[in-house]
Amino acid sequence: MSKLLEIALGIITSIGGFLDVGAIATAAEAGSSFKFQLIWAILLGTVCVIFLVEMSGRLAAVSKHSLASAMRERFGFNFYILPLVAEIIVDFLILGAEIGGVCIALQLVTGISFQWWALPVAFTVWLLLWKGNFSIIENGVSFLGLVTLGFVVATFKLRPDLPSLGSGAIPTLPQQDITHYLFIAVSILGALISPYLFYFYSSGAIEDKWDESHLNINRAVAGLGMGFGSVVSLGVLIVAALVLNPRGIQVDSYEQAALILTQTFGYWGFILFAASLGIVCFGAALEVNLDTAYIVAQAFGWNWGENLHPQEAARFSSVYTIFVFLAALLMVFGIDPLQLTLFSMALTAVILPVVITPFLVLMNDQEYVGNYRNGWISNSVIIFTIALAFVLAIVAIPLEILGG
């Protein structure tokens, strides 16, 4: 029974933790601009992330290494420095975007400019990390993220045409704005196949002291949790397609995105959107900030762990303290949160190859995973994802310039 409860808890927190500012922004823009045509990108990204998250958890449970520490040990620090620096830069931008998402949610409710909220939000993120533990970060905020199921409810109430939804699962180019279409597709994949998920998930498995007995839990959480989270992301796209696209409204700001639930829920739909945006971005800000502290501490062999008192892991705590306030300055200086989000998602696609390629070696190395090495299906998915990652890395910045 305890294992079933652990699986249920993991699935629920994965639903709340799957969505972040990138998933909401890219799905809303995709639906408003291209209706159902980019459903395939969410489905493809979900399949890839399910396999990679499962591998991250399996690696941690069997080897007792997080992904970052395994990469450093297996390939050496000189190799690991490249993905480390790349991930720190992307985490910094994503953290700024997540803080921006919370600030925009507060602006929508209060009318006070998002810039004024940046430092208070950053302080709240820091305080919860400083005073809390991993269970609070993993479960507490993620439970609140279930408010995003409102997008799924709205989808059913709006009664989308099923054949049209099905056609969106097959990649097809639009008749116009092809560059923008490809840019949003790359951004969706960057948002879903986000490296911080793998680093954070494997570090969390170490914090929770997983072993081989947790492998079935890991499979269930990775598959069902990420799958249900993807359903919410699809809900955002579908509702945006049905509400905004017919009116010719493209999501160029979060104020426009806030309209997508009003047709179904009226004024309370506006409040529900603001609550969803604020909660998922706050939860993601906690995870991204903690992820940065994890990978830096693991790179240099410092004491690390959210369950440790800050004095027991002083350098680890210093990283997330400095990082969150520096990221908040991006909002203080008035950088547009939505544009920062889309740029960050495209840049995430650029760094995917250096993060995903080591999976192929680590998950087939008997010294790390023993008899739990990848089968041919998992290896095929990794190889496909690596090829996809290289394509995304090549086209992301040109598409950013031409169609972003």
Side-chain angles (χ1 to χ4, degrees):
M1 181 63 70
S2 62
K3 294 292 185 184
L4 290 176
L5 290 174
E6 195 168 353
I7 290 173
L9 180 62
I11 292 171
I12 290 172
T13 55
S14 292
I15 296 171
F18 181 88
L19 279 181
D20 63 1
V21 67
I24 289 179
T26 55
E29 181 155 3
S32 66
S33 300
F34 301 103
K35 210 164 184 183
F36 305 131
Q37 284 185 277
L38 281 162
I39 285 177
W40 66 267
I42 294 179
L43 297 179
L44 177 60
T46 301
V47 172
C48 293
V49 79
I50 285 173
F51 275 87
L52 292 170
V53 165
E54 187 278 329
M55 292 176 206
S56 302
R58 179 160 32 109
L59 174 69
V62 176
S63 72
K64 307 301 184 292
H65 288 74
S66 68
L67 176 60
S69 61
M71 287 172 62
R72 181 186 184 279
E73 182 180 276
R74 177 64 176 79
F75 301 102
F77 184 79
N78 289 337
F79 171 87
Y80 180 59
I81 192 68
L82 178 59
L84 173 65
V85 171
E87 183 63 21
I88 288 174
I89 293 171
V90 171
D91 275 2
F92 177 73
L93 296 176
I94 292 177
L95 180 56
E98 303 294 356
I99 292 172
V102 181
C103 295
I104 287 293
L106 292 168
Q107 175 182 295
L108 291 173
V109 174
T110 66
I112 300 173
S113 174
F114 72 91
Q115 294 168 262
W116 292 101
W117 291 107
L119 290 178
V121 169
F123 177 79
T124 306
V125 170
W126 169 81
L127 186 64
L128 194 53
L129 290 175
W130 188 267
K131 294 291 186 180
N133 56 39
F134 186 76
S135 179
I136 291 175
I137 305 304
E138 182 186 32
N139 301 326
V141 179
S142 294
F143 260 115
L144 296 177
L146 292 177
V147 69
T148 58
L149 291 175
F151 292 105
V152 179
V153 174
T155 298
F156 282 101
K157 284 184 169 291
L158 291 170
R159 300 181 181 276
D161 180 58
L162 294 182
S164 297
L165 293 181
S167 66
I170 302 172
T172 54
L173 290 176
Q175 295 181 348
Q176 56 187 5
D177 290 336
I178 294 176
T179 306
H180 186 58
Y181 170 89
L182 294 174
F183 168 71
I184 296 300
V186 168
S187 298
I188 288 174
L189 292 169
L192 297 182
I193 315 174
S194 187
Y196 89 80
L197 280 174
F198 318 137
Y199 289 122
F200 180 83
Y201 189 82
S202 63
S203 297
I206 300 295
E207 293 251 38
D208 285 337
K209 297 180 172 57
W210 277 14
D211 55 27
E212 287 88 344
S213 67
H214 289 83
L215 291 178
N216 287 332
I217 293 175
N218 175 53
R219 293 189 193 99
V221 171
L224 297 177
M226 297 296 154
F228 281 126
S230 176
V231 169
V232 179
S233 187
L234 285 170
V236 176
L237 184 151
I238 293 168
V239 173
L242 294 174
V243 174
L244 301 183
N245 183 270
R247 302 177 186 177
I249 300 174
Q250 293 189 6
V251 177
D252 297 321
S253 68
Y254 283 113
E255 287 80 2
Q256 292 169 316
L259 300 173
I260 64 178
L261 292 177
T262 55
Q263 183 169 320
T264 305
F265 301 109
Y267 170 76
W268 289 107
F270 176 82
I271 300 299
L272 181 59
F273 176 86
S276 299
L277 179 67
I279 289 170
V280 300
C281 290
F282 186 78
L286 289 168
E287 293 184 0
V288 173
N289 199 28
L290 196 53
D291 171 69
T292 307
Y294 280 147
I295 61 176
V296 172
Q298 291 161 14
F300 293 101
W302 301 341
N303 271 358
W304 62 273
E306 176 61 10
N307 290 326
L308 297 177
H309 190 277
Q311 291 180 344
E312 298 177 282
R315 289 174 291 190
F316 169 79
S317 305
S318 297
V319 172
Y320 67 65
T321 298
I322 295 170
F323 205 72
V324 70
F325 288 106
L326 286 179
L329 293 179
L330 296 175
M331 295 300 103
V332 173
F333 294 146
I335 294 177
D336 182 82
L338 181 59
Q339 296 304 316
L340 178 61
T341 299
L342 296 175
F343 174 76
S344 301
M345 296 308 101
L347 193 60
T348 299
V350 173
I351 73 166
L352 282 177
V354 297
V355 176
I356 296 176
T357 303
F359 271 94
L360 189 60
V361 177
L362 291 171
M363 299 311 299
N364 289 280
D365 191 326
Q366 191 163 0
E367 291 187 12
Y368 284 90
V369 288
N371 295 327
Y372 298 99
R373 287 173 293 178
N374 275 355
W376 70 269
I377 295 178
S378 295
N379 279 331
S380 298
V381 172
I382 287 187
I383 293 170
F384 170 80
T385 307
I386 290 171
L388 176 64
F390 274 101
V391 172
L392 296 178
I394 293 170
V395 303
I397 296 303
L399 289 174
E400 176 82 28
I401 296 170
L402 296 173

